[in-house]
Amino acid sequence: MSRFFATGSDSESEESSSADEITPKAPGTTFKQSLLLSDDEEDTKRVVRSAKDKRFEELTNLIKTIRNAMKIRDMAKCLEEFEQLCRAFLKSKNIVDKEGVPPFYIRLLADLEDYLNQLWEDKEGKKKMNKNNAKALSTLRQKIRKYNRDYETEIAAYKENPQESADEEEEKEPGDSGSSSDSDGEGADEGVSAKSFLKKKPEPTSEASKFLKKGSGDESSSSDDDDVEDWGSDTVDSGSESTDEEGEKSASLAMVFLKKTQETEKPEKKGERRKKTKKRERLEEEAEEEEVEGGWEKVKGGAPMVKEKPKMFAKGTEINVPVVVKKLNEILQARGKKGTDRAAQIELLHALANIAAENNLGQGIMVKIKFNIIASLYDYNPNLAAFMKPDMWKKCLDCIDELLDILFEHNNIFIGENIAEDSENLIISDQPFRVRGCILTLVERMDEEFTKIMQNTDPHSQEYVDNLKDEGHVCGIIDRLLNYMETKGSTEEVCRIYLRRIMHTYYKFDYKAHRRSLGLQGETKSEQDQEESEGEDSAVIMDRLCKFIYAKDRTDRIRTCAILCHIYHHALHSRWYQARDLMLMSHLQDNIQHADPPVQILYNRTMVQLGICAFRQGMIKDAHNALLDIQSSGRAKELLGQGLLMRNMQERNAEQEKIEKRRQVPFHMHINLELLECVYLVSAMLLEIPYMAAHEFDARRRMISKQFHHQLRVGERQPLLGPPESMREHVVAASKAMKMGDWRTCHSFIINEKMNSKVWDLFPETQRVREMLVRKIQEESLRTYLFTYSSVYDSISMETLSEMFELEIPTVHSIISKMIINEELMASLDQPTQTVVMHRTEPTSLQNMALQLAEKLGSLVENNERVFDLKQGVYGGYFNRDQKGGYQQKQSYQRGMSRPSPANMPLTCCREAGNPVFLLTPFTDQKGGYQQKQGGYQRGGYRNQNHQNNY
């Protein structure tokens, strides 16, 4: 007994004195210590301990608390202590990196996970838990499963051979205590007490089951541990008396432990042998179960819990249709409830279907069970944004195929949503089967799930390709249902399934039909036979399905989607006039803004495809008009449903972002955005460059394409112009060459190997598109050349122009004639000599600037008059003038209209503006002058545009 407890009773003091008499002491030791150390110094004796011992002691204390909480099923305490244990282990990271993860830590993680799994499976026990403990159990189970992923290999090694893990732990711990022997006996003895707690020999039953059973053995072992701890602390206290006592105590302590290990050696061997036999038996049972069931997989870790299959019916129960229906309703009542195991529910339904098939209860009950199995597969993921796992997806497709097989084989089965459950007929009789359910809704949901799978798969992975192969299966199911609905479905249902078929067809290019239209045949005989055996072309299918919807559908949405898909398909196959006429006759552009977002995305995709089709056909202006709205917005990617742009959280919150992601089009349906932009910029170049050359000094010149002008400005701002690299740089370089009338350079920038690989080779008829582009570049370069350099020529031969631009003379004649008729070019054709004679009516640069000055001064006077009238209180005085020669004699002035031509501009305006009259006389006195009509042509070079701004 330590002398610190000497203040006890008399009996205690007598016992302690007798104990002191029995223990031999070295003479003079106590006297020397009393001289060297005072009582205060003895009380505050400092112990030096290593960081490892401190950290591991903290861990063992927390582990002990967790184990105590496990014994009394205090889940809230377990959760709290486990979080503290994780934090303490994180603090010990440096020590763990050097020494490795301590075995007692791995042992706790494994035991805790098994314990939680057993509690989770104990349904009755969970119901008896209070709310806090149940919530803590769920949270702790999730945390431990996530946390144990980092230690899977260590836990697996422990579970495979827990005996060896415990032995290793015993071997390591004496070494650890020996390493800290530089400190004194207190640290060593405390380490022993902690280890004695951890050195629980594993028995055949798992640690988690011990806690669940609450056996008396646990109490005895814990009391033994407490005794050992008390004894250890006692030795620590008495160790401060003398160094001799320390030596004797440590020697006796070693003897005690050696004796214990020798005594427990034989039971350990027996327990180990018993455990090995049990493990072998369990493995044999698992192998037999695998052979019987065929679908079980081996799980890593300890002994799996053997789950007994729930018994469907009691022994001796007569199985008939009412009994099966009652059991089916019992299973379905748990659907959607919290804590329901959805996978187990699906297995129960499959088992019920097998029982119904074994007892020949008829196809009516089979159809009803199949309906519920498919619905349960859809409900497996409660979250709408989540997509089906591959195994569930395969099961779903197989179940729908089986259901369709039953419906096709038995014509006496009627299904429908309008059939009430009371009026169902599932019993075999003379009457046909009547089952409540809608196969069309299931197939539509299957199609939506397929879209979600494709949306959530990486498009650049092999997995996407594998998933895309399932589209053939999906289309096959839709075709089978289409044939079924044509005979037994209503008109509305037929329209719905027709639309599903259309949505899987409209975006696919029919290469075989294209080859047949070109008169090409397959290279081998097998390919030719395959083409002959194939059914009708996709164009015929689309025409038949869409026309049925046009005639029979009563809902605007299905008809709108069918029209857009039909236009898209026409445009994809270069049937420009049919696509254009159908778009104009439908008048969809008038009210498409009121449609729902998926239909608007489909409309945008259709307009883009229409523009690309017009470009392939050489309709440059139509192509530009069709693509203008999409490209000018700068959000083509988002408008086409091919991705989201980065925005602020103020514009779009997280919920809206999820909704927009669900609207995205799968990757295999995307339209190439680079091809789209290239087509738009090339179309804008072919329109804008001649227009810029024709209206060089027009102050009110409008822009045909703002995006194209932006690209030109970006190119002009570059300090160093190197060879073009991107697609935009190629178009800008080609535009600069076309301004100068250099069609060959323009052609080399637009059509080259880099542009072919990026853009032009993506078209079906690549060569025809390139030839069309070359032709358009030659024609527009000729127009630009005449606009830019006509002031230099008195006359020019059409033969020379034909050689310069490599065009036929009739083509050159046609282009120049159109320019003269439209009053774009002031010239005339001399037929005998085949020359173009210029009229020389173009204004000079000085005259152009004078005209601009007159316009600006006129607008200044108008603004001054308006401000003056507002101050005087007279409204509209300037605009109500009826004087002859007034500023607005024939038309009211509107900002944004084309300006009056100088020939029609009255002299009074110029006098009011203080402008000399002679500036306008050269244009007003000539008959058939250059600008007889409003908005007439003005001459000037694009090169001198900067004079306008500087002036």
Side-chain angles (χ1 to χ4, degrees):
M1 189 76 176
S2 176
R3 59 197 174 88
F4 293 112
F5 296 94
T7 57
S9 62
D10 297 335
S11 60
E12 288 178 354
S13 61
E14 289 173 4
E15 290 174 2
S16 62
S17 61
S18 62
D20 293 338
E21 288 174 3
I22 294 169
T23 307
K25 294 183 181 179
T29 308
T30 311
F31 177 70
K32 291 178 182 178
Q33 283 191 349
S34 63
L35 291 176
L36 295 173
L37 297 172
S38 65
D39 291 338
D40 295 336
E41 287 174 341
E42 286 186 43
D43 291 342
T44 59
K45 183 179 179 181
R46 194 164 67 89
V47 179
V48 180
R49 302 177 61 201
S50 65
K52 175 184 171 183
D53 290 340
K54 291 178 183 177
R55 294 297 183 193
F56 279 17
E57 183 185 0
E58 184 182 3
L59 294 177
T60 52
N61 290 337
L62 289 169
I63 288 172
K64 181 178 177 182
T65 311
I66 291 174
R67 289 190 184 277
N68 290 335
M70 288 163 65
K71 291 176 185 177
I72 60 174
R73 293 197 178 194
D74 188 355
M75 291 296 102
K77 184 69 173 175
C78 273
L79 176 61
E80 180 184 352
E81 295 298 323
F82 179 72
E83 290 175 349
Q84 290 185 12
L85 180 67
C86 293
R87 288 193 288 270
F89 188 76
L90 193 61
K91 290 179 184 176
S92 312
K93 188 174 185 305
N94 295 332
I95 298 170
V96 171
D97 290 343
K98 294 178 184 177
E99 303 289 337
V101 182
F104 61 82
Y105 190 73
I106 297 298
R107 181 181 179 186
L108 175 84
L109 294 180
D111 291 346
L112 184 57
E113 186 175 13
D114 291 343
Y115 173 72
L116 293 174
N117 287 336
Q118 289 192 17
L119 278 184
W120 189 260
E121 295 297 332
D122 186 11
K123 304 293 183 185
E124 297 299 327
K126 280 201 317 187
K127 288 179 183 177
K128 294 177 183 177
M129 283 186 182
N130 59 25
K131 186 177 179 182
N132 290 337
N133 272 351
K135 187 176 180 182
L137 172 62
S138 176
T139 307
L140 183 56
R141 182 170 173 266
Q142 292 177 1
K143 284 192 174 185
I144 193 71
R145 288 170 67 184
K146 186 177 179 182
Y147 190 78
N148 283 4
R149 288 175 193 164
D150 298 333
Y151 306 100
E152 284 181 352
T153 54
E154 293 88 344
I155 293 173
Y158 166 74
K159 287 185 176 181
E160 285 175 6
N161 201 342
Q163 189 72 29
E164 288 184 6
S165 302
D167 293 341
E168 287 175 8
E169 188 180 337
E170 287 176 8
E171 290 171 6
K172 285 183 182 178
E173 283 163 354
D176 294 342
S177 62
S179 64
S180 60
S181 61
D182 294 337
S183 62
D184 57 353
E186 185 179 354
D189 292 338
E190 283 185 2
V192 169
S193 64
K195 292 158 196 164
S196 64
F197 161 71
L198 287 168
K199 277 192 262 182
K200 294 182 180 179
K201 297 291 187 262
E203 296 179 345
T205 55
S206 65
E207 193 74 26
S209 62
K210 288 182 183 178
F211 294 124
L212 285 173
K213 291 177 184 174
K214 295 185 177 179
S216 60
D218 293 332
E219 295 173 3
S220 61
S221 63
S222 61
S223 62
D224 292 342
D225 293 340
D226 295 339
D227 293 341
V228 174
E229 285 176 7
D230 293 339
W231 174 77
S233 61
D234 213 12
T235 55
V236 169
D237 296 332
S238 60
S240 61
E241 294 179 1
S242 67
T243 55
D244 297 335
E245 278 185 282
E246 281 181 316
E248 291 176 7
K249 293 272 184 177
S250 59
S252 62
L253 187 64
M255 293 299 293
V256 168
F257 274 97
L258 283 173
K259 189 174 181 181
K260 280 186 180 179
T261 52
Q262 289 168 2
E263 287 175 357
T264 57
E265 200 169 23
K266 292 180 181 178
E268 277 180 15
K269 290 181 179 177
K270 289 180 181 177
E272 192 175 349
R273 195 179 302 113
R274 194 181 305 118
K275 186 160 187 177
K276 285 182 179 177
T277 56
K278 284 194 175 183
K279 188 174 181 182
R280 194 181 303 111
E281 290 173 3
R282 188 174 66 244
L283 291 173
E284 289 173 1
E285 289 175 5
E286 287 178 1
E288 289 175 4
E289 287 179 2
E290 284 178 6
E291 290 175 4
V292 175
E293 300 296 331
W296 298 98
E297 293 180 1
K298 189 173 181 181
V299 180
K300 290 183 179 179
M305 294 184 64
V306 180
K307 294 182 182 178
E308 293 184 2
K309 290 186 178 179
K311 294 180 180 179
M312 284 288 180
F313 304 103
K315 191 173 182 180
T317 305
E318 183 184 355
I319 298 175
N320 51 27
V321 173
V323 172
V324 173
V325 171
K326 184 180 178 182
K327 191 66 180 178
L328 176 64
N329 291 331
E330 287 179 10
I331 296 171
L332 294 179
Q333 280 175 0
R335 180 180 173 188
K337 289 185 179 178
K338 187 177 180 182
T340 303
D341 189 350
R342 299 182 183 88
Q345 198 176 30
I346 295 169
E347 293 298 327
L348 287 174
L349 290 172
H350 277 293
L352 193 62
N354 294 333
I355 292 172
E358 289 170 3
N359 290 274
N360 297 322
L361 298 182
Q363 299 301 326
I365 190 68
M366 286 297 296
V367 170
K368 187 172 181 65
I369 295 173
K370 291 288 182 187
F371 269 123
N372 288 292
I373 289 174
I374 297 169
S376 299
L377 288 170
Y378 290 146
D379 291 344
Y380 188 76
N381 289 326
N383 188 4
L384 282 175
F387 61 98
M388 293 180 76
K389 298 295 182 288
D391 54 342
M392 291 293 172
W393 171 244
K394 299 293 182 188
K395 285 182 184 177
C396 179
L397 293 179
D398 294 339
C399 284
I400 294 175
D401 269 331
E402 292 170 7
L403 182 58
L404 287 172
D405 290 338
I406 295 172
L407 294 177
F408 274 108
E409 290 173 7
H410 302 83
N411 294 324
N412 60 341
I413 300 176
F414 291 97
I415 58 174
E417 291 176 315
N418 52 354
I419 298 175
E421 290 188 2
D422 299 337
S423 62
E424 284 184 328
N425 181 25
L426 305 176
I427 303 173
I428 300 174
S429 63
D430 297 335
Q431 299 295 326
F433 293 110
R434 291 168 59 84
V435 184
R436 177 179 175 81
C438 182
I439 182 67
L440 177 58
T441 305
L442 296 180
V443 173
E444 286 179 336
R445 177 70 187 273
M446 174 204 68
D447 196 23
E448 292 169 4
E449 290 293 338
F450 176 72
T451 304
K452 280 200 285 187
I453 289 172
M454 302 310 296
Q455 286 173 344
N456 289 277
T457 308
D458 180 12
H460 305 291
S461 65
Q462 182 62 32
E463 184 185 0
Y464 191 91
V465 178
D466 296 337
N467 291 338
L468 190 57
K469 291 176 184 176
D470 289 336
E471 191 185 15
H473 197 174
V474 172
C475 292
I477 290 174
I478 291 174
D479 285 334
R480 294 183 67 191
L481 183 60
L482 187 145
N483 296 330
Y484 179 80
M485 285 296 174
E486 285 176 348
T487 57
K488 293 193 175 183
S490 63
T491 305
E492 182 183 354
E493 291 175 333
V494 172
C495 289
R496 283 165 61 188
I497 193 63
Y498 274 10
L499 181 62
R500 290 288 166 182
R501 186 69 183 88
I502 288 169
M503 296 297 285
H504 280 277
T505 307
Y506 80 97
Y507 64 89
K508 298 174 183 174
F509 187 80
D510 195 345
Y511 283 96
K512 291 173 182 174
H514 178 64
R515 286 169 59 84
R516 283 198 291 270
S517 66
L518 297 177
L520 301 175
Q521 292 183 350
E523 297 178 357
T524 62
K525 189 175 181 181
S526 60
E527 289 180 1
Q528 295 176 7
D529 295 339
Q530 185 180 357
E531 288 177 2
E532 291 175 1
S533 62
E534 282 181 357
E536 52 193 354
D537 294 343
S538 61
V540 180
I541 297 173
M542 288 288 295
D543 193 58
R544 176 170 58 84
L545 300 181
C546 290
K547 284 182 177 176
F548 181 87
I549 292 176
Y550 301 157
K552 303 290 184 181
D553 180 60
R554 297 178 183 176
T555 61
D556 289 338
R557 190 183 186 281
I558 293 180
R559 186 169 58 252
T560 301
C561 291
I563 291 172
L564 291 173
C565 292
H566 205 182
I567 295 169
Y568 190 104
H569 194 262
H570 278 314
L572 188 63
H573 292 82
S574 300
R575 296 189 287 270
W576 157 250
Y577 291 104
Q578 291 96 316
R580 183 198 64 181
D581 295 344
L582 190 55
M583 176 62 82
L584 294 176
M585 285 189 297
S586 64
H587 296 286
L588 289 176
Q589 60 273 19
D590 297 336
N591 54 6
I592 193 64
Q593 66 271 14
H594 302 301
D596 54 338
V599 178
Q600 291 184 6
I601 289 173
L602 181 58
Y603 174 81
N604 292 338
R605 285 167 54 80
T606 303
M607 288 302 298
V608 164
Q609 198 61 245
L610 201 60
I612 295 174
C613 174
F615 181 81
R616 289 199 303 267
Q617 300 299 314
M619 313 286 184
I620 302 300
K621 194 168 185 179
D622 292 323
H624 182 270
N625 292 338
L627 301 177
L628 180 62
D629 290 336
I630 299 292
Q631 287 298 122
S632 61
S633 65
R635 298 187 301 126
K637 186 177 183 180
E638 191 172 356
L639 293 175
L640 295 175
Q642 296 182 188
L644 299 180
L645 300 177
M646 298 298 293
R647 291 194 188 176
N648 300 330
M649 291 302 292
Q650 299 172 352
E651 298 180 18
R652 179 175 60 210
N653 57 29
E655 190 62 30
Q656 289 175 338
E657 188 169 351
K658 286 181 183 177
I659 294 171
E660 289 186 15
K661 281 183 178 178
R662 289 202 292 269
R663 295 176 186 151
Q664 299 304 300
V665 177
F667 182 76
H668 64 279
M669 298 170 63
H670 281 193
I671 297 171
N672 192 317
L673 294 177
E674 189 173 19
L675 179 144
L676 174 63
E677 187 178 10
C678 180
V679 166
Y680 174 75
L681 290 177
V682 170
S683 302
M685 177 191 76
L686 295 174
L687 294 174
E688 192 79 61
I689 297 299
Y691 181 82
M692 289 167 61
H695 300 79
E696 190 77 33
F697 287 98
D698 190 350
R700 297 182 184 233
R701 183 187 70 207
R702 63 183 178 85
M703 289 184 186
I704 296 177
S705 171
K706 289 184 179 179
Q707 189 181 6
F708 177 74
H709 276 273
H710 173 70
Q711 296 299 334
L712 286 181
R713 286 194 294 271
V714 169
E716 289 171 359
R717 278 197 228 108
Q718 290 180 355
L720 179 63
L721 287 177
E725 294 181 1
S726 66
M727 176 271 301
R728 295 174 181 175
E729 291 176 357
H730 276 86
V731 176
V732 169
S735 303
K736 291 179 180 178
M738 185 180 278
K739 283 180 192 175
M740 309 303 295
D742 187 357
W743 76 271
R744 288 184 179 85
T745 306
C746 177
H747 167 249
S748 65
F749 282 129
I750 293 294
I751 299 175
N752 51 52
E753 290 184 4
K754 189 178 287 187
M755 290 290 284
N756 286 343
S757 60
K758 283 186 176 181
V759 180
W760 309 124
D761 287 344
L762 303 178
F763 287 116
E765 301 175 355
T766 305
Q767 191 56 37
R768 195 168 66 82
V769 172
R770 290 199 195 98
E771 291 172 0
M772 180 274 299
L773 267 176
V774 173
R775 185 84 172 180
K776 288 294 179 183
I777 288 171
Q778 289 171 333
E779 292 175 0
E780 297 304 323
S781 297
L782 171 61
R783 284 165 48 80
T784 306
Y785 183 83
L786 290 174
F787 285 141
T788 307
Y789 299 110
S790 61
S791 59
V792 180
Y793 290 99
D794 287 330
S795 62
I796 185 169
S797 171
M798 282 193 287
E799 187 175 353
T800 305
L801 293 174
S802 175
E803 291 174 0
M804 284 176 62
F805 294 95
E806 296 184 7
L807 292 168
E808 299 84 0
I809 290 180
T811 306
V812 175
H813 184 278
S814 171
I815 292 171
I816 295 175
S817 299
K818 286 179 183 176
M819 293 172 69
I820 293 173
I821 291 169
N822 295 331
E823 296 187 2
E824 294 174 338
L825 183 65
M826 294 298 107
S828 58
L829 286 173
D830 188 13
Q831 293 290 347
T833 58
Q834 291 289 306
T835 56
V836 183
V837 180
M838 304 297 173
H839 288 175
R840 309 291 297 170
T841 57
E842 294 81 1
T844 62
S845 299
L846 179 61
Q847 291 170 336
N848 271 321
M849 288 187 285
L851 288 171
Q852 292 172 23
L853 177 62
E855 275 194 359
K856 289 179 180 178
L857 291 176
S859 63
L860 179 64
V861 169
E862 177 192 346
N863 292 334
N864 288 341
E865 288 285 344
R866 186 183 294 118
V867 172
F868 181 74
D869 289 343
L870 288 174
K871 285 184 177 180
Q872 295 297 321
V874 180
Y875 299 99
Y878 179 74
F879 295 99
N880 295 330
R881 292 181 181 179
D882 294 328
Q883 302 174 2
K884 289 184 179 181
Y887 178 63
Q888 291 181 339
Q889 185 176 1
K890 293 184 180 180
Q891 60 181 2
S892 60
Y893 177 77
Q894 293 181 3
R895 187 174 297 276
M897 292 178 59
S898 58
R899 63 178 178 81
S901 63
N904 296 330
M905 186 179 290
L907 299 180
T908 54
C909 173
C910 295
R911 291 193 187 96
E912 287 177 4
N915 197 40
V917 180
F918 68 84
L919 288 175
L920 297 179
T921 51
F923 305 102
T924 55
D925 295 334
Q926 293 181 1
K927 289 185 178 181
Y930 170 63
Q931 287 187 336
Q932 289 182 350
K933 290 188 177 182
Q934 180 179 347
Y937 175 71
Q938 295 182 10
R939 274 287 354 109
Y942 182 69
R943 305 178 302 280
N944 299 324
Q945 185 179 4
N946 293 332
H947 292 304
Q948 171 187 349
N949 300 329
N950 294 335
Y951 188 79

